[in-house]
Amino acid sequence: MRADVAAAREEWRKAQPALDPEKLVFIDETSTNTQMTRLRGRCKKGVRLIDRVPHGHWKTTTFVAGLRNDEIVAPLVLDRPMNGAAFQAWLEQGLAPTLAPGDTVIMDNLPAHKVAGVRAIIEDAGAKLLYLPQYLYRAGRPHDSGKKVALIFGVGQVMRGKSDFSPINGSVTMGSATVAGAFRDAIDDKDVKAILFRVDSPGGSYVASDTIYREVLRARKAGKPVIVSMGNLAGSGGYFVAMAADKIIAEPGTITASIGVLGGKMYAARLWNKLGLSHDEIHTSQNATMFTTTRDYNDTEWQRFEAWLDRVYVDFTSKVAEGRHLPKEKVLEIAKGRIWTGEDAKAIGLVDELGGFDTAVQAVKKSIHVADGDDINLKVFPKRKKLYEMFLPRAAESSENDASAQALAAMFQSVQPVAQKLRALGVSADEDSSQDRGENVLMMPEIEAQR
C-alpha cells in the first residue's frame, strides 16, 4: 500500500469528530440547492458550498481507492513470481511499451504460446464455448441436494414495493415487498431449514429497510437461522437489513456500516426561473408540499423533519446495539455515518467473520448441523426471470449466437451513463421513483473509486 493511502487509512481508523453542526447548502452552477441534514455529524442548510471536495470526503475517497487497489494487487502478487514492490513498479509504468526480448510478461496460468491455440484445442475436442448458466444447466449446479436452504438476494437501493431492474439507467432496487415476501415464504416453507441472505446495497428507504429487518427477526424466532453474506457494499440501509442476522460474513474489502441518517431535498426554484418555468399548486393540508422542489422548507417543516431524523437515528443505533450485542455507547462512537471495511468492521463487532459466499455456505451448514462433507440444497426465493429471459424467447447458449441480445444490451449501455447521472440528480422516468422521496434517509452518498 502506498504511503499516502496507508496514512489515509490509519487516519480513518481513528475516531473522527462530528462535522460542523451548521447548515450547509450545496450550490452548483445551475442554481439548484440541495438541502441536507445528517444526524451525529450533521449537515444543515445556511452556508454556501465550498467549491472544493470537503476534506472528509477526500479522505474517504482516498481510503476507498487504496482499498480497491489492495484488493486487486494482493491476489495478483500471490499468484505470480514477483514481490509486491516489483509488481507495484510494473503497475506504475501505466501503458506497457513495445515488448522486447527478455521483458516480463504477466499471464494468468497459461503460457503465451498456448493462448492462440485455445480455440483450436476446444474445436479439436468437439466442444464449444458456453455461457456459465448454460454450462451449469448441462453439468448440474452445486448445492442441489441435502437440507433445503432459502437463498434470498437483497441487491440495490432499498425501496418500498417490488424489486426491480431498469435497463435504461442500469439501476437495481431491493424492494421491501419482494424481499420481505421471500422471507415470509421461506418461513412458511416447512422444508426450509435456514436462510442465506446475500446483501449488496447502499441503503435507501428507512421504512423499507425496517420492513425487511423485521422479517429477519421473524425468521429467527421461527427457528430458522439467518446468515448474511455481504458483497461489495452493505451500508446504511444495506447494513440495517442485515444487522439482526445470526451471523454476518463480509469480504475484507466490503464497504459497510455507515450507521447514520441523511435526508433533504433539491431546491430548484432559481433554475426553473432561469428556464422561464413556473409552477402552480393545489394542496389540501398544511404540510402536503413539504418536499416540493419549488420552495425551501419553512421553520416548522424543518423542525418536523429533523425530529423525525432524530427518531430514525435513535432507532437505528438501538437496533445495532441489540442485534450485535454491543453497548449503546460503543455503537454511538462507531456510528456517525462512518463507513468501515469488512476487516475493520469485524474488529469492532459489526461483522462476525471474513469471507465470501463459500464461507457463508459453510456457516449455514454449521448452523443446521450439516457435516462438512455433506451438501445443502440452495433454493432462490422468490424465483425471478433474468433480464435476457424477458427479451428472448429462450436463453442463448453462447455469445456466438445471440447478436440480437448483444445489440440490445449495447443500446442500453450507451444511455446508462446519462440516465445514471440524471437519477443521481433526482431526475428519473421510473414510475415509482417519487414514492420514497424524503424517505431515503438510510442511503449512503455515492463514493466512486473506478478500477
Side-chain angles (χ1 to χ4, degrees):
M1 184 183 293
R2 299 197 331 250
D4 55 342
V5 174
R9 180 169 188 175
E10 183 61 29
E11 187 175 5
W12 184 258
R13 292 185 180 208
K14 298 177 182 178
Q16 299 179 53
L19 298 177
D20 189 338
E22 294 301 320
K23 297 180 178 181
L24 294 176
V25 174
F26 296 84
I27 304 173
D28 63 22
E29 295 178 355
T30 62
S31 300
T32 60
N33 296 357
T34 304
Q35 200 171 309
M36 308 299 287
T37 177
R38 181 175 64 201
L39 274 295
R40 303 303 183 265
R42 64 178 64 180
C43 305
K44 303 181 183 176
K45 60 180 181 179
V47 178
R48 188 176 182 84
L49 172 73
I50 8 31
D51 57 1
R52 299 184 60 188
V53 177
H55 180 58
H57 194 111
W58 184 268
K59 289 195 301 181
T60 302
T61 305
T62 303
F63 166 70
V64 172
L67 177 67
R68 294 294 185 232
N69 183 72
D70 291 347
E71 285 184 319
I72 295 171
V73 171
L76 295 177
V77 172
L78 289 174
D79 291 339
R80 289 164 177 80
M82 61 170 59
N83 58 36
F87 192 84
Q88 186 64 38
W90 183 82
L91 289 178
E92 295 290 346
Q93 295 180 21
L95 294 175
T98 302
L99 294 176
D103 285 348
T104 300
V105 178
I106 297 180
M107 301 292 294
D108 277 325
N109 301 322
L110 195 63
H113 68 276
K114 290 187 177 180
V115 173
V118 170
R119 183 172 293 276
I121 294 173
I122 293 174
E123 292 175 352
D124 290 343
K128 65 178 181 178
L129 295 171
L130 294 174
Y131 280 134
L132 180 58
Q134 285 293 328
Y135 175 81
L136 289 173
Y137 176 76
R138 299 184 183 192
R141 289 180 173 272
H143 311 306
D144 61 354
S145 63
K147 291 184 178 181
K148 187 176 181 179
V149 174
L151 174 59
I152 300 175
F153 289 94
V155 180
Q157 180 178 340
V158 186
M159 298 182 68
R160 289 180 292 131
K162 295 182 179 180
S163 298
D164 197 14
F165 169 75
S166 171
I168 302 300
N169 58 34
S171 64
V172 181
T173 59
M174 185 198 309
S176 59
T178 300
V179 177
F183 268 93
R184 286 192 287 270
D185 289 345
I187 293 170
D188 294 339
D189 190 332
K190 295 180 180 180
D191 293 329
V192 170
K193 305 303 180 184
I195 297 172
L196 177 52
F197 188 21
R198 177 70 172 178
V199 178
D200 196 339
S201 169
S205 164
Y206 164 66
V207 174
S209 299
D210 194 54
T211 300
I212 298 171
Y213 163 85
R214 291 178 183 278
E215 293 303 323
V216 174
L217 286 179
R218 284 190 64 243
R220 294 186 61 184
K221 289 179 181 178
K224 301 190 177 186
V226 179
I227 308 298
V228 166
S229 171
M230 291 182 171
N232 290 330
L233 178 65
S236 203
Y239 188 78
F240 198 109
V241 301
M243 61 189 177
D246 291 272
K247 195 166 192 176
I248 299 177
I249 298 171
E251 296 279 4
T254 297
I255 300 298
T256 189
S258 188
I259 303 167
V261 184
L262 178 72
K265 68 177 181 179
M266 179 178 289
Y267 170 44
R270 285 183 289 178
L271 172 63
W272 304 131
N273 290 337
K274 284 187 175 183
L275 295 175
L277 299 175
S278 62
H279 295 77
D280 294 318
E281 65 186 39
I282 297 174
H283 56 275
T284 58
S285 63
Q286 183 177 355
N287 295 309
T289 59
M290 181 173 176
F291 290 104
T292 179
T293 62
T294 60
R295 66 167 178 81
D296 199 351
Y297 294 107
N298 61 39
D299 291 339
T300 301
E301 290 171 342
W302 187 258
Q303 290 172 6
R304 283 177 176 271
F305 190 47
E306 285 225 294
W308 180 65
L309 290 175
D310 279 325
R311 291 196 299 273
V312 174
Y313 188 80
V314 170
D315 184 57
F316 195 173
T317 52
S318 297
K319 286 176 177 174
V320 171
E322 180 182 357
R324 304 307 302 155
H325 307 292
L326 296 172
K328 183 67 176 291
E329 295 75 16
K330 181 176 181 180
V331 173
L332 293 176
E333 180 183 346
I334 62 181
K336 304 178 184 178
R338 297 191 188 103
I339 63 171
W340 301 90
T341 66
E343 183 178 4
D344 293 334
K346 182 177 182 298
I348 59 178
L350 296 178
V351 164
D352 296 301
E353 189 175 346
L354 299 180
F357 189 79
D358 288 342
T359 304
V361 169
Q362 293 302 315
V364 169
K365 292 169 65 175
K366 185 175 181 181
S367 71
I368 54 177
H369 310 292
V370 173
D372 290 339
D374 295 334
D375 204 354
I376 56 175
N377 186 9
L378 277 180
K379 291 293 183 181
V380 176
F381 280 64
K383 188 180 186 303
R384 297 179 59 195
K385 285 186 176 181
K386 296 181 175 59
L387 177 64
Y388 64 84
E389 292 177 330
M390 299 178 187
F391 291 104
L392 298 176
R394 63 183 183 87
E397 293 187 344
S398 75
S399 60
E400 297 179 352
N401 61 356
D402 70 333
S404 60
Q406 290 188 41
L408 186 62
M411 180 187 73
F412 286 138
Q413 289 171 0
S414 66
V415 300
Q416 281 181 6
V418 176
Q420 288 167 355
K421 295 300 182 184
L422 291 174
R423 188 170 186 270
L425 291 172
V427 180
S428 175
D430 295 344
E431 292 182 2
D432 297 328
S433 62
S434 62
Q435 72 165 358
D436 292 328
R437 185 171 296 165
E439 186 189 303
N440 291 336
V441 296
L442 298 186
M443 182 75 175
M444 288 180 58
E446 182 176 356
I447 299 173
E448 185 174 357
Q450 296 184 357
R451 294 176 182 267

